[in-house]
Amino acid sequence: MPRVLSGIQPSGQLTLGNYIGAIQNFVKLQETHECFFMVVDLHAITVPQEPAALREQTESVAALFIAAGIDPAKASVFAQSHVSAHAELGWLFTTLAYMGELERMTQFKDKSTGKDSVGAGLFVYPTLMAADILMYNADLVPVGDDQKQHLELTRDLAQRFNQRYGDMFTIPEPYIPKVGARIMSLDDGTKKMSKSNPNPASYIALLDPPDVIRKKISRATTDSGREVKFNPAEKPEVSNLMSIYSHCAGLTLDEIEARYEGQGYGAFKKELAEHVVAKLEPLQQRYAEIRSSGEIHAILKQGAERVSVIADKTLRDAKERMGFLLPRS
């Protein structure tokens, strides 16, 4: 089976955008691919994290993976920091990367703009991301448009290693679903829905209570018109709400347009909210069960043990090719 790897940072609350754009696809991919899904806590600390919050969010993200339908018997679910080979291979790839390559990363530019000082981790984390992907020789990597540049660097580093030390790493391809890969903010249809947005009204968190979801959708930005019509260029906010509706209700965009023809935004928003609530309630119930049972710790331990067999071998092979003196067993 072809391999797929992806990860989500445990910083902030996971959103409906994470669910539609990433996690729903994870659930589908586990049926046809060998999947590695991780909580990338080492990436989270590229910006300061409160220790108790980092622990809580790491457990929460992992539990949401399972609550959303990822089956730990089919896919490996683990915390990045539980597999120490990630950090070590990340360092090896840092030595292969060039300053100019890292300086060109748009995410680094965006996150460092206007700051007096920037942590070195924020600058070099694309090489850790490369190690994450190449560790398991993943064939496909689910990425949003904002991560395609990092995947290109990963491909460059894999080719550079292979040229210097002999073919070892698979050159990964991006997996970008045609629909739903990018859910936008509720207050600005030109910006991606983000859990790091300081305005909670801009996103729907997966654990938002039903009344909060209804309030956020009722207040979501639209435009001065009345037409429920999909036109991202001229009606970005309404088009975004229609995309959410499509994924939560299982209707096509054409069906949604026909249903609300001549009705305006009021009825559309009200029924959209109910579809979102209905979609998330079973997930929230399963999440509560997982957290109260404590089973997530056993799942993460099992996942880390399973992938460590692959990760440790990859790291050892890479070090041997690079000329390290390896300990003898």
Side-chain angles (χ1 to χ4, degrees):
M1 294 172 74
R3 285 180 174 173
V4 172
L5 176 131
S6 194
I8 292 181
Q9 282 196 35
S11 53
Q13 300 182 70
L14 292 194
T15 70
L16 188 64
N18 296 125
Y19 180 67
I20 292 173
I23 300 173
Q24 273 193 333
N25 291 310
F26 295 174
V27 175
K28 293 174 187 172
L29 286 166
Q30 70 182 348
E31 304 299 333
T32 53
H33 294 70
E34 184 182 5
C35 292
F36 301 79
F37 299 131
M38 57 180 179
V39 184
V40 288
D41 47 356
L42 294 175
H43 286 295
I45 62 168
T46 55
V47 295
Q49 300 288 337
E50 202 282 310
L54 179 62
R55 274 190 291 273
E56 162 62 24
Q57 281 301 116
T58 300
E59 187 173 340
S60 176
V61 171
L64 282 167
F65 278 174
I66 307 304
I70 294 174
D71 183 349
K74 295 178 180 177
S76 297
V77 176
F78 61 101
Q80 183 187 26
S81 64
H82 291 182
V83 183
S84 59
H86 280 268
E88 193 168 351
L89 189 63
W91 170 248
L92 300 185
F93 278 116
T94 299
T95 69
L96 291 176
Y98 303 132
M99 291 283 287
E101 290 174 316
L102 298 174
E103 287 170 345
R104 284 195 294 273
M105 295 291 114
T106 53
Q107 282 217 339
F108 172 73
K109 291 177 183 176
D110 292 345
K111 292 181 178 180
S112 60
T113 299
K115 294 185 178 175
D116 294 332
S117 60
V118 180
L122 192 63
F123 183 68
V124 300
Y125 94 87
T127 58
L128 176 58
M129 181 176 169
D132 296 336
I133 295 166
L134 299 174
M135 182 76 75
Y136 305 102
N137 279 305
D139 299 284
L140 293 174
V141 183
V143 290
D145 291 340
D146 56 339
Q147 290 289 348
K148 282 198 291 189
Q149 190 185 30
H150 288 164
L151 185 59
E152 283 303 315
L153 175 65
T154 298
R155 289 165 56 86
D156 291 343
L157 291 174
Q159 289 168 337
R160 192 169 300 155
F161 184 100
N162 290 347
Q163 287 166 358
R164 289 188 190 179
Y165 303 112
D167 284 346
M168 176 176 164
F169 292 109
T170 300
I171 310 301
E173 297 290 338
Y175 171 79
I176 304 174
K178 290 184 174 63
V179 182
R182 196 170 174 84
I183 297 299
M184 313 307 280
S185 172
L186 296 181
D187 62 351
D188 184 346
T190 65
K191 294 181 179 177
K192 186 177 177 181
M193 184 179 285
S194 172
K195 55 188 169 63
S196 60
N197 192 315
N199 176 17
S202 70
Y203 58 81
I204 295 169
L206 292 184
L207 298 176
D208 275 345
D211 286 350
V212 172
I213 292 171
R214 294 183 181 106
K215 184 179 290 186
K216 286 183 177 181
I217 290 177
S218 72
R219 296 178 178 177
T221 302
T222 50
D223 52 49
S224 57
R226 295 187 75 253
E227 266 192 309
V228 178
K229 194 165 186 64
F230 191 78
N231 185 335
E234 296 185 14
K235 298 169 75 73
E237 285 81 15
V238 173
S239 299
N240 182 49
L241 293 178
M242 289 179 68
S243 292
I244 294 171
Y245 198 124
S246 176
H247 281 276
C248 291
L251 296 176
T252 67
L253 296 169
D254 287 341
E255 288 171 332
I256 295 166
E257 284 186 10
R259 175 174 289 197
Y260 295 100
E261 187 174 0
Q263 291 192 51
Y265 298 145
F268 166 68
K269 280 184 166 186
K270 189 172 182 179
E271 291 184 19
L272 166 59
E274 296 312 312
H275 284 298
V276 174
V277 167
K279 188 74 171 177
L280 294 185
E281 274 187 329
L283 179 151
Q284 293 176 353
Q285 290 168 5
R286 177 71 180 116
Y287 173 84
E289 293 168 4
I290 294 166
R291 292 303 302 268
S292 62
S293 71
E295 64 186 285
I296 197 62
H297 298 285
I299 290 171
L300 289 173
K301 183 172 185 289
Q302 176 192 26
E305 288 172 350
R306 188 188 300 160
V307 303
S308 288
V309 175
I310 302 169
D312 291 345
K313 183 181 185 307
T314 301
L315 177 62
R316 185 178 180 87
D317 289 350
K319 290 170 72 174
E320 186 171 29
R321 285 169 182 262
M322 292 179 75
F324 286 94
L325 180 65
L326 301 178
R328 295 181 180 177
S329 54

